[in-house]
Amino acid sequence: MTGVDALPRSYLYVPGNAEAKLAGALGRGADAIIVDLEDAVPLAEKEAARESVVRWIGALPAGLTTEVWVRVNPGVLRELDVAALAGLAGLTGIALAKAESRDDVEAVAAQLVAAGDTTTRLMPVVESAVAVLGVGPIAAGPRVHQLQIGEVDLAGDTGITPGEDEVELLTMRTMVVLASVAAGIAPPVGPVSRITADPEALRRSTERVQRLGFVGRACIHPAQVSVVHEVFRPAAEEVEEARTVLRLLDEAEATGSGVVLDPQGRLVDPAVVAGAQRTLALARRGGA
């Protein structure tokens, strides 16, 4: 039974116009880096930031295990960003800021194909009411590896004011998770949090998105990374249970049996198998 990719637990945003922060980004302990060319970069600095990011990616060491994503601008700047990034060997994927339709995804995918890029993944960022209501086709678009939900812009677009328990965001978060499952892509990335100085509050918030089916969370400050890792690190008993499920499945397949029961007598169906694979993928990130 083959496993799934070792999923990142943390995605640390780094401004594309801050060369010092870029230089130290890989030492912050995050499983993935998202270099930002959008909100973090003033309009006057867009071109210089783009050039700086391309140089930084080009100098990345071979065999790097940290995923490297770049969040590109929407609108007219997007084509310039994608053209500069297409085909870069150290690039994992492109996060599409303010993606609102499958057309947005198809346009970027077509541009990558035209540039001869066969490997770059796409991560649409769902951050408007239009995007939430059209999230199914977005998730099913070409090259889409996973979704991310952008709740700061989403709250501004909708007028929603989240409380401490964030219950106001539940429906939209659930729609993003369901669209990801239906499209057969990786679980979505949890939203950024503005909480940087209260680890327990960040932990509670991260546990909420973890229980909803998000895997990993975007971070805006290095101090958030360790808390996010703790929440998404499977417990030892969860890892052992996952290994047992997959071992029983392998044994059943070897004997031609179509029915698999776990040690508690519960049926092991495809959803249980998928959950076990995700658990082990996260465990591999944590070194288990």
Side-chain angles (χ1 to χ4, degrees):
M1 186 79 186
T2 59
V4 297
D5 291 343
L7 302 170
R9 299 159 296 174
S10 57
Y11 298 74
L12 179 63
Y13 272 99
V14 180
N17 61 339
E19 293 194 3
K21 291 182 178 180
L22 274 176
L26 297 178
R28 296 299 191 176
D31 292 339
I33 300 296
I34 303 179
V35 184
D36 191 17
L37 292 176
E38 195 219 5
D39 284 347
V41 181
L43 183 59
E45 298 179 28
K46 296 288 188 184
E47 183 176 355
R50 185 189 305 123
E51 293 172 354
S52 177
V53 168
V54 169
R55 287 195 301 272
W56 179 76
I57 294 175
L60 290 174
L64 184 68
T65 58
T66 305
E67 291 191 5
V68 175
W69 294 78
V70 177
R71 181 167 74 170
V72 299
N73 291 281
V76 295
L77 289 174
R78 186 182 65 193
E79 187 172 346
L80 295 174
D81 291 341
V82 174
L85 296 167
L88 293 181
L91 182 67
T92 303
I94 295 173
L96 304 180
K98 297 177 175 63
E100 292 200 321
S101 70
R102 184 183 172 106
D103 288 346
D104 291 332
V105 177
E106 290 180 342
V108 174
Q111 187 177 353
L112 292 172
V113 169
D117 184 319
T118 60
T119 60
T120 298
R121 298 169 167 180
L122 299 181
M123 180 197 295
V125 186
V126 178
E127 44 192 337
S128 70
V130 170
V132 170
L133 293 177
V135 70
I138 293 172
R143 296 213 187 195
V144 174
H145 173 66
Q146 61 195 147
L147 302 173
Q148 182 182 161
I149 186 168
E151 291 181 346
V152 175
D153 284 350
L154 186 55
D157 182 51
T158 60
I160 290 172
T161 303
E164 193 279 332
D165 62 2
E166 302 169 333
V167 69
E168 298 83 1
L169 299 165
L170 177 60
T171 298
M172 292 168 287
R173 290 176 173 181
T174 301
M175 289 176 70
V176 171
V177 172
L178 293 179
S180 300
V181 175
I185 60 176
V189 179
V192 300
S193 171
R194 293 177 173 178
I195 303 169
T196 61
D198 187 341
E200 287 308 310
L202 178 62
R203 185 187 310 278
R204 291 192 297 271
S205 173
T206 305
E207 287 172 347
R208 283 192 285 271
V209 299
Q210 191 265 349
R211 289 195 299 269
L212 277 176
F214 290 85
V215 173
R217 182 166 201 173
C219 301
I220 57 172
H221 193 284
Q224 297 175 321
V225 170
S226 61
V227 174
V228 169
H229 282 187
E230 289 173 12
V231 172
F232 285 100
R233 181 183 298 119
E237 56 269 23
E238 293 175 316
V239 174
E240 183 57 33
E241 181 178 350
R243 287 174 175 159
T244 298
V245 164
L246 297 186
R247 176 179 56 80
L248 292 173
L249 182 63
D250 284 340
E251 292 173 355
E253 289 177 346
T255 60
S257 173
V259 178
V260 183
L261 302 178
D262 70 10
Q264 287 73 44
R266 298 170 298 191
L267 180 67
V268 175
D269 60 13
V272 173
V273 172
Q277 290 175 328
R278 284 195 299 270
T279 295
L280 294 183
L282 285 166
R284 288 198 296 276
R285 278 288 185 186

